Amino acid sequence: MTRGRFITLEGGEGVGKSTNLKFIEVLLIEKGLQVMVTREPGGTALAEKLRQLLLASDVKKIDASTELLLMFAARADHIQQVIKPALAQEKWVLCDRFTDSTYAYQGGGRGLDTENIAWLEKFVQQQLQPDITFLLDAPIEIGMARAKKRGALDRFETEQHVFFNKVRVAFLKRANDFPKRIKIIDANQALSMVQENIQAHLDALI
Ligand code: Z5A
């Protein structure tokens, strides 16, 4: 059965995921492809409500395992209602964050056992994996400075440096474990260079 392609963007705060998602969308549309843009947590009415709860800065304490389960609850709905149907219609799905973020934030940042994450991943996704993932990587200070310029910080963004460092290390470990799928892009260079790198990988995929 033919299907579209599933592309995800990953990385820490403010590394340029949204900016480059837009760039990829335009590029794919120019190639005549049907594109659907979405994000996690979110992408459906239910998952967007869960996102609000997960990111609300006035919700001070969410137990790490509760946070993990809410991420996968949102993901399960998103996959069934949006991602799988779009792929079946041969659309190219561009998703701002996906399960690599769970390994990075709940696994690396919160210190949850990756075996539990892997179990949930299999249960919720079955065989579904991104065809390609762009991991935008930059020193934490760079991303945080860019994110801060936008104003109010969400619940994750109020974490400390040590948390973000663990997140970054976990992302890089994922890229090391899945080198064929996850392409590390140096996000600490001029945007034009970042986009040149992304385009080269996309040309190979198209
Ligand atoms: N989360 C989780 O814990 N577990 C999970 O499984 C999932 C998510 C799926 C969702 O945040 C939160 O959920 C996230 C992890 C958690 N934690 N946080 N925080 P999100 O993805 O919605 O928010 P974010 O990570 O904070 O993304 P962001 O702040 O929107 O950043 P971004 O999309 O990566 O960056 P941007 O908006 O494209 O760029 C930021 C600014 O930098 C902007 O002004 C750009 O013009 C500028 N920029 C971008 N690239 C460059 C370059 N190369 N040079 C100079 N300036 C640049």
Side-chain angles (χ1 to χ4, degrees), residues 38 40 141 191 200:
T38 187
E40 289 214 344
E141 297 72 21
L191 189 55

Side-chain angles (χ1 to χ4, degrees), residues 56-171:
S57 52
D58 57 341
V59 179
K60 291 292 174 225
K61 262 217 163 310
I62 299 184
D63 167 69
S65 56
T66 307
E67 187 177 270
L68 172 68
L69 291 169
L70 288 174
M71 289 292 176
F72 270 107
R75 182 162 300 135
D77 196 50
H78 190 207
I79 289 172
Q80 295 308 328
Q81 309 269 358
V82 171
I83 297 177
K84 276 191 175 170
L87 291 173
Q89 290 165 23
E90 298 186 28
K91 290 186 179 151
W92 285 53
V93 176
L94 304 183
C95 192
D96 194 338
R97 297 192 181 280
F98 195 60
T99 306
D100 294 309
S101 277
T102 313
Y103 281 95
Y105 284 81
Q106 283 66 52
R110 304 282 190 232
L112 291 178
D113 190 340
T114 50
E115 275 185 25
N116 291 331
I117 301 177
W119 188 90
L120 286 164
E121 178 183 26
K122 195 153 186 283
F123 177 61
V124 166
Q125 292 171 221
Q126 296 164 19
Q127 304 305 316
L128 179 73
Q129 287 294 336
D131 293 288
I132 191 167
T133 297
F134 294 107
L135 171 58
L136 295 163
D137 179 62
I140 291 143
E141 297 72 21
I142 302 281
M144 282 307 285
R146 289 182 192 162
K148 269 185 188 145
K149 274 195 204 152
R150 280 181 328 209
L153 301 179
D154 67 35
R155 194 173 60 85
F156 287 94
E157 288 166 344
T158 57
E159 288 290 343
Q160 300 303 309
H161 189 280
V162 61
F163 175 86
F164 293 116
N165 199 41
K166 288 182 193 165
V167 168
R168 186 179 183 203
V169 167
F171 267 132

